[in-house]
Amino acid sequence: MSDAPPRASEFRTVDPCAALSNSLTQVGEVLKLLEADQYQSTDLAAFDSSIGAHVRHCLDHVQSLLDRCPERGVTYDRRRRGTAVETDLQVGREELARIARQGDALEEPLDAEISIYAIVTPDRPEQPFTSTLGRELLYVFLHTVHHLAIIRAQARSLGFELDPELGRAPATVAADRASRP
């Protein structure tokens, strides 16, 4: 193993909670680079949403999972659109730190069964599904990685050079590495 520091997509664990924590840390590292106007700008080439909107969207998903309770399960489709998290850089940083701390304190077993409610088609009500905490942590982790890819592209359009593996799925990085001679 190399003594070089790990790249953005190198995870030293298979724990989805730790992977999610790592991806939230990566979001925070990007936010440290930004000015307030860059965080809320919707004038980025080829992007209709601001970096702040993507941060809010990711945090809403994580918070939905962390706030679940047996009576109502998890509903990712009910999000808090238009909040200060997507327009105020400092609020975004604070909310990211708060949610990351809450996620780090999670102690439930990964095989704990949870109910998920999702709108699968716009003309039907929410449908119930059964999942596990581990599976849903994996989902919000991969969802955050996906949005990190968009945030990375937006940051690049602002002139920032970020780790080329930031926002790339671990499976993609692994496949690329396996194909190298």
Side-chain angles (χ1 to χ4, degrees):
M1 180 146 208
S2 169
D3 288 336
R7 296 179 58 93
S9 60
E10 289 180 336
F11 299 99
R12 298 179 184 271
T13 179
V14 293
D15 176 8
C17 195
L20 175 60
S21 178
N22 187 43
S23 66
L24 293 175
T25 297
Q26 292 169 0
V27 172
E29 292 301 314
V30 174
L31 297 189
K32 288 178 184 177
L33 302 172
L34 301 176
E35 299 294 331
D37 61 321
Q38 295 169 321
Y39 181 75
Q40 62 183 317
S41 177
T42 56
D43 294 331
L44 304 174
F47 300 102
D48 294 330
S49 298
S50 67
I51 290 173
H54 288 283
V55 170
R56 189 267 316 149
H57 178 77
C58 290
L59 295 179
D60 282 353
H61 276 67
V62 177
Q63 192 67 67
S64 292
L65 179 59
L66 295 175
D67 284 350
R68 79 204 173 288
C69 69
E71 299 83 38
R72 67 172 199 261
V74 177
T75 304
Y76 298 114
D77 298 323
R78 294 185 198 149
R79 295 188 294 275
R80 303 169 297 146
R81 295 171 173 90
T83 66
V85 172
E86 66 184 77
T87 58
D88 185 315
L89 177 59
Q90 188 57 38
V91 171
R93 288 174 177 156
E94 291 168 3
E95 186 71 354
L96 174 66
R98 184 190 68 74
I99 290 173
R101 282 190 308 274
Q102 188 179 357
D104 288 344
L106 193 64
E107 294 183 357
E108 296 172 63
L110 295 177
D111 61 352
E113 191 172 283
I114 58 176
S115 298
I116 305 295
Y117 297 89
I119 297 174
V120 179
T121 180
D123 57 346
R124 303 272 321 262
E126 291 177 343
Q127 301 297 306
F129 299 90
T130 301
S131 188
T132 65
L133 177 58
R135 169 61 188 97
E136 295 309 309
L137 283 166
L138 180 63
Y139 165 69
V140 293
F141 157 62
L142 292 171
H143 180 262
T144 301
V145 170
H146 163 74
H147 281 275
L148 266 168
I150 298 167
I151 291 167
R152 178 178 173 270
Q154 289 175 300
R156 287 187 69 196
S157 77
L158 292 167
F160 294 102
E161 283 302 317
L162 302 173
D163 181 342
E165 290 186 355
L166 185 72
R168 296 187 70 223
T172 303
V173 174
D176 289 350
R177 289 179 184 170
S179 68
R180 292 185 197 139

PDB file of all heavy atoms in Angstrom, residues 7-9 149 152 156 161-169 173 176:
ATOM      1  N   ARG A   7      -7.003   9.239  -1.933  1.00  0.00           N
ATOM      2  CA  ARG A   7      -7.720  10.129  -2.840  1.00  0.00           C
ATOM      3  C   ARG A   7      -9.167  10.194  -2.374  1.00  0.00           C
ATOM      4  O   ARG A   7      -9.607   9.419  -1.536  1.00  0.00           O
ATOM      5  CB  ARG A   7      -7.594   9.621  -4.260  1.00  0.00           C
ATOM      6  CG  ARG A   7      -6.123   9.648  -4.719  1.00  0.00           C
ATOM      7  CD  ARG A   7      -5.972   9.134  -6.119  1.00  0.00           C
ATOM      8  NE  ARG A   7      -6.759   9.873  -7.065  1.00  0.00           N
ATOM      9  CZ  ARG A   7      -6.311  10.913  -7.773  1.00  0.00           C
ATOM     10  NH1 ARG A   7      -5.081  11.308  -7.613  1.00  0.00           N
ATOM     11  NH2 ARG A   7      -7.078  11.513  -8.636  1.00  0.00           N
ATOM     12  N   ALA A   8      -9.938  11.087  -2.961  1.00  0.00           N
ATOM     13  CA  ALA A   8     -11.312  11.322  -2.527  1.00  0.00           C
ATOM     14  C   ALA A   8     -12.160  10.062  -2.518  1.00  0.00           C
ATOM     15  O   ALA A   8     -12.998   9.882  -1.655  1.00  0.00           O
ATOM     16  CB  ALA A   8     -11.968  12.376  -3.423  1.00  0.00           C
ATOM     17  N   SER A   9     -11.940   9.173  -3.435  1.00  0.00           N
ATOM     18  CA  SER A   9     -12.813   8.006  -3.536  1.00  0.00           C
ATOM     19  C   SER A   9     -12.254   6.762  -2.858  1.00  0.00           C
ATOM     20  O   SER A   9     -12.833   5.699  -2.959  1.00  0.00           O
ATOM     21  CB  SER A   9     -13.096   7.711  -5.003  1.00  0.00           C
ATOM     22  OG  SER A   9     -11.888   7.451  -5.654  1.00  0.00           O
ATOM     23  N   ALA A 149     -20.354  14.978  -7.860  1.00  0.00           N
ATOM     24  CA  ALA A 149     -19.884  15.076  -9.247  1.00  0.00           C
ATOM     25  C   ALA A 149     -20.401  16.356  -9.897  1.00  0.00           C
ATOM     26  O   ALA A 149     -19.665  17.054 -10.612  1.00  0.00           O
ATOM     27  CB  ALA A 149     -20.334  13.854 -10.049  1.00  0.00           C
ATOM     28  N   ARG A 152     -18.661  19.303  -8.236  1.00  0.00           N
ATOM     29  CA  ARG A 152     -17.290  19.398  -8.748  1.00  0.00           C
ATOM     30  C   ARG A 152     -17.278  20.097 -10.109  1.00  0.00           C
ATOM     31  O   ARG A 152     -16.457  20.984 -10.363  1.00  0.00           O
ATOM     32  CB  ARG A 152     -16.640  18.020  -8.865  1.00  0.00           C
ATOM     33  CG  ARG A 152     -15.227  18.066  -9.428  1.00  0.00           C
ATOM     34  CD  ARG A 152     -14.603  16.659  -9.483  1.00  0.00           C
ATOM     35  NE  ARG A 152     -13.344  16.718 -10.162  1.00  0.00           N
ATOM     36  CZ  ARG A 152     -13.192  16.564 -11.485  1.00  0.00           C
ATOM     37  NH1 ARG A 152     -14.225  16.290 -12.250  1.00  0.00           N
ATOM     38  NH2 ARG A 152     -11.999  16.654 -12.030  1.00  0.00           N
ATOM     39  N   ARG A 156     -15.553  23.586 -10.984  1.00  0.00           N
ATOM     40  CA  ARG A 156     -14.588  23.722 -12.088  1.00  0.00           C
ATOM     41  C   ARG A 156     -14.964  24.890 -12.985  1.00  0.00           C
ATOM     42  O   ARG A 156     -14.085  25.617 -13.471  1.00  0.00           O
ATOM     43  CB  ARG A 156     -14.504  22.440 -12.901  1.00  0.00           C
ATOM     44  CG  ARG A 156     -13.751  21.331 -12.155  1.00  0.00           C
ATOM     45  CD  ARG A 156     -13.515  20.140 -13.016  1.00  0.00           C
ATOM     46  NE  ARG A 156     -12.552  20.519 -14.044  1.00  0.00           N
ATOM     47  CZ  ARG A 156     -12.330  19.831 -15.150  1.00  0.00           C
ATOM     48  NH1 ARG A 156     -12.989  18.721 -15.386  1.00  0.00           N
ATOM     49  NH2 ARG A 156     -11.446  20.239 -16.029  1.00  0.00           N
ATOM     50  N   GLU A 161      -9.801  23.804  -9.214  1.00  0.00           N
ATOM     51  CA  GLU A 161      -9.305  22.483  -9.610  1.00  0.00           C
ATOM     52  C   GLU A 161      -9.430  21.565  -8.406  1.00  0.00           C
ATOM     53  O   GLU A 161      -8.794  21.810  -7.382  1.00  0.00           O
ATOM     54  CB  GLU A 161      -7.856  22.559 -10.083  1.00  0.00           C
ATOM     55  CG  GLU A 161      -7.706  23.125 -11.476  1.00  0.00           C
ATOM     56  CD  GLU A 161      -8.465  22.342 -12.537  1.00  0.00           C
ATOM     57  OE1 GLU A 161      -8.436  21.095 -12.516  1.00  0.00           O
ATOM     58  OE2 GLU A 161      -9.094  22.992 -13.390  1.00  0.00           O
ATOM     59  N   LEU A 162     -10.248  20.551  -8.537  1.00  0.00           N
ATOM     60  CA  LEU A 162     -10.483  19.622  -7.442  1.00  0.00           C
ATOM     61  C   LEU A 162      -9.983  18.236  -7.814  1.00  0.00           C
ATOM     62  O   LEU A 162      -9.717  17.953  -8.983  1.00  0.00           O
ATOM     63  CB  LEU A 162     -11.979  19.570  -7.115  1.00  0.00           C
ATOM     64  CG  LEU A 162     -12.617  20.907  -6.744  1.00  0.00           C
ATOM     65  CD1 LEU A 162     -14.127  20.762  -6.610  1.00  0.00           C
ATOM     66  CD2 LEU A 162     -12.016  21.437  -5.450  1.00  0.00           C
ATOM     67  N   ASP A 163      -9.876  17.384  -6.826  1.00  0.00           N
ATOM     68  CA  ASP A 163      -9.472  15.998  -7.027  1.00  0.00           C
ATOM     69  C   ASP A 163     -10.303  15.389  -8.162  1.00  0.00           C
ATOM     70  O   ASP A 163     -11.531  15.448  -8.124  1.00  0.00           O
ATOM     71  CB  ASP A 163      -9.705  15.234  -5.723  1.00  0.00           C
ATOM     72  CG  ASP A 163      -9.297  13.780  -5.772  1.00  0.00           C
ATOM     73  OD1 ASP A 163      -9.131  13.214  -6.870  1.00  0.00           O
ATOM     74  OD2 ASP A 163      -9.148  13.191  -4.693  1.00  0.00           O
ATOM     75  N   PRO A 164      -9.673  14.825  -9.179  1.00  0.00           N
ATOM     76  CA  PRO A 164     -10.431  14.263 -10.300  1.00  0.00           C
ATOM     77  C   PRO A 164     -11.318  13.080  -9.906  1.00  0.00           C
ATOM     78  O   PRO A 164     -12.240  12.741 -10.639  1.00  0.00           O
ATOM     79  CB  PRO A 164      -9.363  13.838 -11.308  1.00  0.00           C
ATOM     80  CG  PRO A 164      -8.068  13.925 -10.606  1.00  0.00           C
ATOM     81  CD  PRO A 164      -8.237  14.751  -9.379  1.00  0.00           C
ATOM     82  N   GLU A 165     -11.082  12.473  -8.756  1.00  0.00           N
ATOM     83  CA  GLU A 165     -11.927  11.364  -8.323  1.00  0.00           C
ATOM     84  C   GLU A 165     -13.108  11.826  -7.471  1.00  0.00           C
ATOM     85  O   GLU A 165     -13.991  11.036  -7.166  1.00  0.00           O
ATOM     86  CB  GLU A 165     -11.102  10.319  -7.563  1.00  0.00           C
ATOM     87  CG  GLU A 165     -10.147   9.572  -8.466  1.00  0.00           C
ATOM     88  CD  GLU A 165      -9.433   8.429  -7.768  1.00  0.00           C
ATOM     89  OE1 GLU A 165      -9.589   8.257  -6.547  1.00  0.00           O
ATOM     90  OE2 GLU A 165      -8.711   7.705  -8.462  1.00  0.00           O
ATOM     91  N   LEU A 166     -13.141  13.103  -7.120  1.00  0.00           N
ATOM     92  CA  LEU A 166     -14.250  13.633  -6.344  1.00  0.00           C
ATOM     93  C   LEU A 166     -15.543  13.469  -7.143  1.00  0.00           C
ATOM     94  O   LEU A 166     -15.626  13.864  -8.301  1.00  0.00           O
ATOM     95  CB  LEU A 166     -14.025  15.112  -6.021  1.00  0.00           C
ATOM     96  CG  LEU A 166     -15.056  15.761  -5.105  1.00  0.00           C
ATOM     97  CD1 LEU A 166     -14.883  15.243  -3.688  1.00  0.00           C
ATOM     98  CD2 LEU A 166     -14.915  17.267  -5.141  1.00  0.00           C
ATOM     99  N   GLY A 167     -16.533  12.857  -6.530  1.00  0.00           N
ATOM    100  CA  GLY A 167     -17.814  12.681  -7.202  1.00  0.00           C
ATOM    101  C   GLY A 167     -17.877  11.483  -8.130  1.00  0.00           C
ATOM    102  O   GLY A 167     -18.830  11.336  -8.880  1.00  0.00           O
ATOM    103  N   ARG A 168     -16.881  10.644  -8.095  1.00  0.00           N
ATOM    104  CA  ARG A 168     -16.911   9.421  -8.899  1.00  0.00           C
ATOM    105  C   ARG A 168     -17.270   8.259  -7.992  1.00  0.00           C
ATOM    106  O   ARG A 168     -16.727   8.134  -6.898  1.00  0.00           O
ATOM    107  CB  ARG A 168     -15.567   9.184  -9.566  1.00  0.00           C
ATOM    108  CG  ARG A 168     -15.257  10.311 -10.568  1.00  0.00           C
ATOM    109  CD  ARG A 168     -14.026  10.061 -11.379  1.00  0.00           C
ATOM    110  NE  ARG A 168     -14.271   8.977 -12.316  1.00  0.00           N
ATOM    111  CZ  ARG A 168     -13.412   8.000 -12.557  1.00  0.00           C
ATOM    112  NH1 ARG A 168     -12.258   7.953 -11.920  1.00  0.00           N
ATOM    113  NH2 ARG A 168     -13.681   7.071 -13.425  1.00  0.00           N
ATOM    114  N   ALA A 169     -18.180   7.433  -8.440  1.00  0.00           N
ATOM    115  CA  ALA A 169     -18.617   6.292  -7.645  1.00  0.00           C
ATOM    116  C   ALA A 169     -17.447   5.360  -7.381  1.00  0.00           C
ATOM    117  O   ALA A 169     -16.588   5.161  -8.253  1.00  0.00           O
ATOM    118  CB  ALA A 169     -19.733   5.551  -8.375  1.00  0.00           C
ATOM    119  N   VAL A 173     -14.316   4.051  -9.979  1.00  0.00           N
ATOM    120  CA  VAL A 173     -12.885   4.178  -9.703  1.00  0.00           C
ATOM    121  C   VAL A 173     -12.233   2.799  -9.689  1.00  0.00           C
ATOM    122  O   VAL A 173     -11.163   2.592 -10.263  1.00  0.00           O
ATOM    123  CB  VAL A 173     -12.641   4.931  -8.376  1.00  0.00           C
ATOM    124  CG1 VAL A 173     -11.164   4.937  -8.017  1.00  0.00           C
ATOM    125  CG2 VAL A 173     -13.175   6.359  -8.479  1.00  0.00           C
ATOM    126  N   ASP A 176     -11.908   1.494 -13.241  1.00  0.00           N
ATOM    127  CA  ASP A 176     -10.813   2.191 -13.941  1.00  0.00           C
ATOM    128  C   ASP A 176      -9.467   1.664 -13.502  1.00  0.00           C
ATOM    129  O   ASP A 176      -8.574   1.435 -14.324  1.00  0.00           O
ATOM    130  CB  ASP A 176     -10.883   3.703 -13.691  1.00  0.00           C
ATOM    131  CG  ASP A 176     -12.034   4.371 -14.402  1.00  0.00           C
ATOM    132  OD1 ASP A 176     -12.690   3.724 -15.260  1.00  0.00           O
ATOM    133  OD2 ASP A 176     -12.277   5.566 -14.120  1.00  0.00           O
TER     134      ASP A 176
END
